[in-house]
Amino acid sequence: MKSFLKHTHLQSHPDNVFWAGALNGIVVLILFIAFLGGYFFDTAINSYLMGAAFALASFLLFIFFRFLFTGLQLGLNKIPVSLFAILLAAFASLYLIRLGGFFFPEGGFFFPESVYYSVISLGVIAQVFIFGSLNYFINNKPLKKPFRLVWPYVMLFTVGLGIDIYGIHWMTSKGDNQSGTAFQQINVSQLTDIENPSLTGYFSVRHFTYGSGTDKQRLEFRNHAQYRTEPVDASSILYAWVGSKAKWREKFWGFGLDEFPINGRVWMPEGEGPFPLILIVHGNSSMEKFSDQGYAYLGELLASRGFIAVSVDQNFVNATWSGDFRGQEMPVRGWLLLKHLEQWRTWNQDKLHDLFGKIKIDEIILIGHSRGGEAVAIAASFNALSFFPDNANLEFDFNFNIMGIVEIAPTDERYFRRMTLENINYLSLHGSYDSDQASFFGLRQYQRIEFTDNNYWFNAGLYIHRANHSQFNTVWGEKDLKLPFSWLLDVNSVIAAEEQRQVAKVYISAFAETVLNLRKEYLPIFKNASIIRDWMPSTIYLNNFKDSNKLVIADFEEDIDLTTAKLGSIEALNLKIWREEPLQFRDMNTQENNALILGWDSRADAERHNKSYEIILDNPIDLQKIESLLLSMAAGNPGELGVNNKGNYTGENDLNDDGKAELNFTIQLTDAQNNRLSISSDAIKKIAPRLKINFMKLKSLNKYWGDSWEPSLESFEYPLTDFDGDMEKFGKLHSIKFIFNKTDHGVLIMDNLGFSLTQS
């Protein structure tokens, strides 16, 4: 660097030693940022070598741009001539660094140019101040200078150092814990008559791997694999395996599109068996991370409780520096799961194989995380088909008895097709602080499952406040964004990794017990997480639940007439808001679900008891056929009410947003003789306030995920035995009425009103 500076105009002017030092600072900043870009650029090459290569390339770029922009300096006589070229060269170099090293493999860093360059500009200013001042002090012996000549440089040095120290502190801090409310949902007693499903079971666990032996990066699937499998030809199903994406992958993995391996790591109960089979598949992290290793906590638990658990390797179709398939690989993700099931079926039927007769091949659950979550729905759909829907030249003959699927923080838009499933049990888990998949897309698949036969099926969803995307996988770390952008995340608002995985263990194990071992005593936890609060971390949980034992009265899907329901007519009285609308996620993507929006405001109205919404049934229902009233609810945007009782405009943050002002009202059942049964809406659990999410420490960045909140429905079940009133006098149910008489204002979102039927 010293020899480089000798030939600049800066060194030829004794008064410009400050700017010569500033040049040093800028070069140091460029080298540092370029090194980070290379270090965190996922390849199979050593991270330090990549960082050094990026740093060298950036220095050469800087020299090039420095001399290029020198030609633009004519006329700027009052500023050292080389400074203009230095600054332009710096920003040009940093721009190219951003295009290269700081792009995600998926296609790019989504924050705007203004954010990046605001931070970079502060960095440039700080280095100019620090290194320029240092160079002045070194070359001018400041102790012998009058103070009036020295103090400006002391101040510049102090300001620059302050910017650097604050910036480093801010980036490395965990954030301000902006998770919001301390709201308590609990209004019910705990469930005490069943064991915690996250506890280790009674089986000893055997661990082994199987593989095709073609994977030069994974010894466990090659030399150390206990069972050898035949690779499969995916050339008819993955068309995007071409060009540089294919070339780099084939060099790295040692196989091509026509030799995709069947690799899996297994946790198996010791014993005679046979045992049900559960496949777990990862999502789209960098392919060099080997994501299949991240579900050992689930595999060991499930195997100890009597299930064969397999973590499936699909890393070879994940993202890397040479490109992401951008969802075009989704069909192959689902298809590969079915090819793994074929392998297990072959072993189970082979009398000469160690695994002969060890598997209940008709009792299967598929679990997927992120893109793997979408993949399990694709697999369940492909399972019943005779041909690949995108290419009929590929025939299917799977027909496994997949009894359930679990989607963990799933995508639902990568494959251009949407999977409509029938007669399958379903569970989806999602965290409110998921900055990778910011919205609960599992609810869309939840809406697209239908029950058409006479068997019992259930679908469930769990929205976990303060959980994120990555911590469900132990390999992915605690942050959803890659370095250096993860420094911007508000990590302090996210629950601990072990706590998040504890939720997954409880719910996934309970799902397996319910679906595969018919342990229906676990069903209540899918309706209300509050009853198992001692098994779970302290946060807010929103449960969604539906089953095949439900009579739907109103789901607000049938038409646009506000006065009609599926099985009745509707009357409303003195409501400020009454409409039906398609719900949207925070990013304006559809939830694929219509809902009812009701709002009332009695703060300037003494007639608070005269605000209601009533569904009058076309055909009265015998209460002997009903066990519970079911409905889904969420707090809406109180800002829609417009003005408060002082006549001031009410913004969306002014009401019901601090967790203190809670929605509550009366639910009333009436027969033809006007006999009434009633219950408070908070008798089972309280309606959660809107969960406002700040993913980033810098709040202005949160807008790039859309709104800070989204309508998040949760299911409520009110047993008829909990209603007040004389049940013996009550005749057939004539109407269901919601009377808004307990809180003086509020906006309510409601959906899926119906009844749980008695079991015959």
Side-chain angles (χ1 to χ4, degrees), residues 360-380:
K360 291 183 178 179
I361 202 63
D362 288 329
E363 297 183 13
I364 296 169
I365 285 177
L366 304 180
I367 301 173
H369 182 191
S370 194
R371 290 196 199 183
E374 188 173 350
V376 298
I378 294 171

PDB file of all heavy atoms in Angstrom, residues 360-380:
ATOM      1  N   LYS A 360     -43.991 -51.433   9.233  1.00  0.00           N
ATOM      2  CA  LYS A 360     -45.422 -51.353   8.931  1.00  0.00           C
ATOM      3  C   LYS A 360     -45.571 -50.423   7.727  1.00  0.00           C
ATOM      4  O   LYS A 360     -45.789 -49.226   7.871  1.00  0.00           O
ATOM      5  CB  LYS A 360     -46.194 -50.814  10.133  1.00  0.00           C
ATOM      6  CG  LYS A 360     -46.245 -51.763  11.319  1.00  0.00           C
ATOM      7  CD  LYS A 360     -47.099 -51.178  12.439  1.00  0.00           C
ATOM      8  CE  LYS A 360     -47.199 -52.147  13.611  1.00  0.00           C
ATOM      9  NZ  LYS A 360     -48.010 -51.585  14.732  1.00  0.00           N
ATOM     10  N   ILE A 361     -45.424 -50.971   6.551  1.00  0.00           N
ATOM     11  CA  ILE A 361     -45.323 -50.171   5.343  1.00  0.00           C
ATOM     12  C   ILE A 361     -46.651 -49.501   4.989  1.00  0.00           C
ATOM     13  O   ILE A 361     -46.705 -48.617   4.120  1.00  0.00           O
ATOM     14  CB  ILE A 361     -44.796 -51.031   4.168  1.00  0.00           C
ATOM     15  CG1 ILE A 361     -44.178 -50.147   3.077  1.00  0.00           C
ATOM     16  CG2 ILE A 361     -45.889 -51.947   3.650  1.00  0.00           C
ATOM     17  CD1 ILE A 361     -42.965 -49.365   3.526  1.00  0.00           C
ATOM     18  N   ASP A 362     -47.717 -49.883   5.653  1.00  0.00           N
ATOM     19  CA  ASP A 362     -49.011 -49.229   5.445  1.00  0.00           C
ATOM     20  C   ASP A 362     -49.298 -48.163   6.500  1.00  0.00           C
ATOM     21  O   ASP A 362     -50.411 -47.644   6.566  1.00  0.00           O
ATOM     22  CB  ASP A 362     -50.140 -50.265   5.445  1.00  0.00           C
ATOM     23  CG  ASP A 362     -50.136 -51.120   4.191  1.00  0.00           C
ATOM     24  OD1 ASP A 362     -49.718 -50.600   3.138  1.00  0.00           O
ATOM     25  OD2 ASP A 362     -50.524 -52.291   4.273  1.00  0.00           O
ATOM     26  N   GLU A 363     -48.308 -47.848   7.324  1.00  0.00           N
ATOM     27  CA  GLU A 363     -48.475 -46.811   8.348  1.00  0.00           C
ATOM     28  C   GLU A 363     -47.319 -45.827   8.214  1.00  0.00           C
ATOM     29  O   GLU A 363     -46.237 -46.029   8.761  1.00  0.00           O
ATOM     30  CB  GLU A 363     -48.520 -47.433   9.746  1.00  0.00           C
ATOM     31  CG  GLU A 363     -49.706 -48.365   9.940  1.00  0.00           C
ATOM     32  CD  GLU A 363     -49.785 -48.923  11.351  1.00  0.00           C
ATOM     33  OE1 GLU A 363     -49.072 -48.413  12.249  1.00  0.00           O
ATOM     34  OE2 GLU A 363     -50.549 -49.887  11.557  1.00  0.00           O
ATOM     35  N   ILE A 364     -47.558 -44.758   7.450  1.00  0.00           N
ATOM     36  CA  ILE A 364     -46.487 -43.840   7.048  1.00  0.00           C
ATOM     37  C   ILE A 364     -46.879 -42.398   7.365  1.00  0.00           C
ATOM     38  O   ILE A 364     -48.030 -41.979   7.152  1.00  0.00           O
ATOM     39  CB  ILE A 364     -46.190 -43.973   5.538  1.00  0.00           C
ATOM     40  CG1 ILE A 364     -45.666 -45.373   5.215  1.00  0.00           C
ATOM     41  CG2 ILE A 364     -45.210 -42.907   5.064  1.00  0.00           C
ATOM     42  CD1 ILE A 364     -45.607 -45.659   3.725  1.00  0.00           C
ATOM     43  N   ILE A 365     -45.903 -41.626   7.857  1.00  0.00           N
ATOM     44  CA  ILE A 365     -46.024 -40.170   8.001  1.00  0.00           C
ATOM     45  C   ILE A 365     -44.842 -39.530   7.290  1.00  0.00           C
ATOM     46  O   ILE A 365     -43.714 -40.024   7.372  1.00  0.00           O
ATOM     47  CB  ILE A 365     -46.047 -39.745   9.486  1.00  0.00           C
ATOM     48  CG1 ILE A 365     -47.404 -40.075  10.122  1.00  0.00           C
ATOM     49  CG2 ILE A 365     -45.765 -38.259   9.636  1.00  0.00           C
ATOM     50  CD1 ILE A 365     -47.480 -39.750  11.604  1.00  0.00           C
ATOM     51  N   LEU A 366     -45.079 -38.424   6.592  1.00  0.00           N
ATOM     52  CA  LEU A 366     -44.031 -37.634   5.965  1.00  0.00           C
ATOM     53  C   LEU A 366     -43.926 -36.292   6.680  1.00  0.00           C
ATOM     54  O   LEU A 366     -44.936 -35.619   6.906  1.00  0.00           O
ATOM     55  CB  LEU A 366     -44.330 -37.396   4.484  1.00  0.00           C
ATOM     56  CG  LEU A 366     -44.552 -38.628   3.603  1.00  0.00           C
ATOM     57  CD1 LEU A 366     -44.847 -38.197   2.174  1.00  0.00           C
ATOM     58  CD2 LEU A 366     -43.348 -39.552   3.651  1.00  0.00           C
ATOM     59  N   ILE A 367     -42.703 -35.891   7.022  1.00  0.00           N
ATOM     60  CA  ILE A 367     -42.445 -34.613   7.693  1.00  0.00           C
ATOM     61  C   ILE A 367     -41.484 -33.809   6.831  1.00  0.00           C
ATOM     62  O   ILE A 367     -40.451 -34.331   6.387  1.00  0.00           O
ATOM     63  CB  ILE A 367     -41.819 -34.821   9.089  1.00  0.00           C
ATOM     64  CG1 ILE A 367     -42.736 -35.662   9.977  1.00  0.00           C
ATOM     65  CG2 ILE A 367     -41.511 -33.487   9.758  1.00  0.00           C
ATOM     66  CD1 ILE A 367     -42.104 -36.052  11.311  1.00  0.00           C
ATOM     67  N   GLY A 368     -41.794 -32.529   6.591  1.00  0.00           N
ATOM     68  CA  GLY A 368     -40.909 -31.689   5.790  1.00  0.00           C
ATOM     69  C   GLY A 368     -40.780 -30.297   6.380  1.00  0.00           C
ATOM     70  O   GLY A 368     -41.715 -29.757   6.967  1.00  0.00           O
ATOM     71  N   HIS A 369     -39.603 -29.717   6.212  1.00  0.00           N
ATOM     72  CA  HIS A 369     -39.284 -28.385   6.733  1.00  0.00           C
ATOM     73  C   HIS A 369     -39.011 -27.447   5.563  1.00  0.00           C
ATOM     74  O   HIS A 369     -38.266 -27.797   4.648  1.00  0.00           O
ATOM     75  CB  HIS A 369     -38.061 -28.490   7.642  1.00  0.00           C
ATOM     76  CG  HIS A 369     -37.639 -27.209   8.291  1.00  0.00           C
ATOM     77  ND1 HIS A 369     -36.440 -27.077   8.962  1.00  0.00           N
ATOM     78  CD2 HIS A 369     -38.243 -25.998   8.395  1.00  0.00           C
ATOM     79  CE1 HIS A 369     -36.329 -25.861   9.446  1.00  0.00           C
ATOM     80  NE2 HIS A 369     -37.411 -25.180   9.108  1.00  0.00           N
ATOM     81  N   SER A 370     -39.620 -26.266   5.573  1.00  0.00           N
ATOM     82  CA  SER A 370     -39.404 -25.244   4.555  1.00  0.00           C
ATOM     83  C   SER A 370     -39.841 -25.781   3.186  1.00  0.00           C
ATOM     84  O   SER A 370     -40.981 -26.198   3.027  1.00  0.00           O
ATOM     85  CB  SER A 370     -37.945 -24.795   4.579  1.00  0.00           C
ATOM     86  OG  SER A 370     -37.781 -23.609   3.855  1.00  0.00           O
ATOM     87  N   ARG A 371     -38.958 -25.795   2.187  1.00  0.00           N
ATOM     88  CA  ARG A 371     -39.356 -26.396   0.904  1.00  0.00           C
ATOM     89  C   ARG A 371     -39.668 -27.878   1.071  1.00  0.00           C
ATOM     90  O   ARG A 371     -40.454 -28.437   0.309  1.00  0.00           O
ATOM     91  CB  ARG A 371     -38.249 -26.202  -0.144  1.00  0.00           C
ATOM     92  CG  ARG A 371     -38.091 -24.772  -0.600  1.00  0.00           C
ATOM     93  CD  ARG A 371     -37.284 -24.662  -1.870  1.00  0.00           C
ATOM     94  NE  ARG A 371     -36.775 -23.304  -2.043  1.00  0.00           N
ATOM     95  CZ  ARG A 371     -36.076 -22.876  -3.080  1.00  0.00           C
ATOM     96  NH1 ARG A 371     -35.795 -23.712  -4.069  1.00  0.00           N
ATOM     97  NH2 ARG A 371     -35.644 -21.631  -3.156  1.00  0.00           N
ATOM     98  N   GLY A 372     -39.045 -28.498   2.061  1.00  0.00           N
ATOM     99  CA  GLY A 372     -39.410 -29.884   2.359  1.00  0.00           C
ATOM    100  C   GLY A 372     -40.847 -29.999   2.813  1.00  0.00           C
ATOM    101  O   GLY A 372     -41.493 -31.032   2.590  1.00  0.00           O
ATOM    102  N   GLY A 373     -41.379 -28.948   3.459  1.00  0.00           N
ATOM    103  CA  GLY A 373     -42.783 -28.948   3.848  1.00  0.00           C
ATOM    104  C   GLY A 373     -43.705 -28.971   2.652  1.00  0.00           C
ATOM    105  O   GLY A 373     -44.709 -29.703   2.624  1.00  0.00           O
ATOM    106  N   GLU A 374     -43.386 -28.175   1.653  1.00  0.00           N
ATOM    107  CA  GLU A 374     -44.176 -28.223   0.419  1.00  0.00           C
ATOM    108  C   GLU A 374     -43.980 -29.559  -0.290  1.00  0.00           C
ATOM    109  O   GLU A 374     -44.907 -30.094  -0.907  1.00  0.00           O
ATOM    110  CB  GLU A 374     -43.775 -27.061  -0.494  1.00  0.00           C
ATOM    111  CG  GLU A 374     -44.661 -26.895  -1.708  1.00  0.00           C
ATOM    112  CD  GLU A 374     -44.355 -25.633  -2.502  1.00  0.00           C
ATOM    113  OE1 GLU A 374     -43.588 -24.780  -2.009  1.00  0.00           O
ATOM    114  OE2 GLU A 374     -44.887 -25.496  -3.620  1.00  0.00           O
ATOM    115  N   ALA A 375     -42.770 -30.121  -0.171  1.00  0.00           N
ATOM    116  CA  ALA A 375     -42.468 -31.387  -0.849  1.00  0.00           C
ATOM    117  C   ALA A 375     -43.308 -32.541  -0.321  1.00  0.00           C
ATOM    118  O   ALA A 375     -43.686 -33.436  -1.084  1.00  0.00           O
ATOM    119  CB  ALA A 375     -40.975 -31.708  -0.699  1.00  0.00           C
ATOM    120  N   VAL A 376     -43.595 -32.569   0.990  1.00  0.00           N
ATOM    121  CA  VAL A 376     -44.370 -33.704   1.508  1.00  0.00           C
ATOM    122  C   VAL A 376     -45.805 -33.662   0.989  1.00  0.00           C
ATOM    123  O   VAL A 376     -46.423 -34.711   0.775  1.00  0.00           O
ATOM    124  CB  VAL A 376     -44.335 -33.760   3.054  1.00  0.00           C
ATOM    125  CG1 VAL A 376     -42.909 -33.962   3.552  1.00  0.00           C
ATOM    126  CG2 VAL A 376     -44.975 -32.547   3.713  1.00  0.00           C
ATOM    127  N   ALA A 377     -46.348 -32.437   0.787  1.00  0.00           N
ATOM    128  CA  ALA A 377     -47.684 -32.343   0.190  1.00  0.00           C
ATOM    129  C   ALA A 377     -47.650 -32.787  -1.267  1.00  0.00           C
ATOM    130  O   ALA A 377     -48.580 -33.445  -1.762  1.00  0.00           O
ATOM    131  CB  ALA A 377     -48.213 -30.917   0.308  1.00  0.00           C
ATOM    132  N   ILE A 378     -46.579 -32.439  -1.975  1.00  0.00           N
ATOM    133  CA  ILE A 378     -46.417 -32.890  -3.363  1.00  0.00           C
ATOM    134  C   ILE A 378     -46.326 -34.409  -3.409  1.00  0.00           C
ATOM    135  O   ILE A 378     -46.964 -35.070  -4.246  1.00  0.00           O
ATOM    136  CB  ILE A 378     -45.170 -32.240  -3.988  1.00  0.00           C
ATOM    137  CG1 ILE A 378     -45.370 -30.732  -4.126  1.00  0.00           C
ATOM    138  CG2 ILE A 378     -44.849 -32.866  -5.340  1.00  0.00           C
ATOM    139  CD1 ILE A 378     -44.117 -29.976  -4.531  1.00  0.00           C
ATOM    140  N   ALA A 379     -45.550 -34.985  -2.493  1.00  0.00           N
ATOM    141  CA  ALA A 379     -45.424 -36.446  -2.453  1.00  0.00           C
ATOM    142  C   ALA A 379     -46.766 -37.111  -2.186  1.00  0.00           C
ATOM    143  O   ALA A 379     -47.114 -38.114  -2.825  1.00  0.00           O
ATOM    144  CB  ALA A 379     -44.409 -36.852  -1.382  1.00  0.00           C
ATOM    145  N   ALA A 380     -47.524 -36.562  -1.244  1.00  0.00           N
ATOM    146  CA  ALA A 380     -48.833 -37.140  -0.929  1.00  0.00           C
ATOM    147  C   ALA A 380     -49.766 -37.069  -2.130  1.00  0.00           C
ATOM    148  O   ALA A 380     -50.593 -37.962  -2.348  1.00  0.00           O
ATOM    149  CB  ALA A 380     -49.444 -36.417   0.268  1.00  0.00           C
TER     150      ALA A 380
END
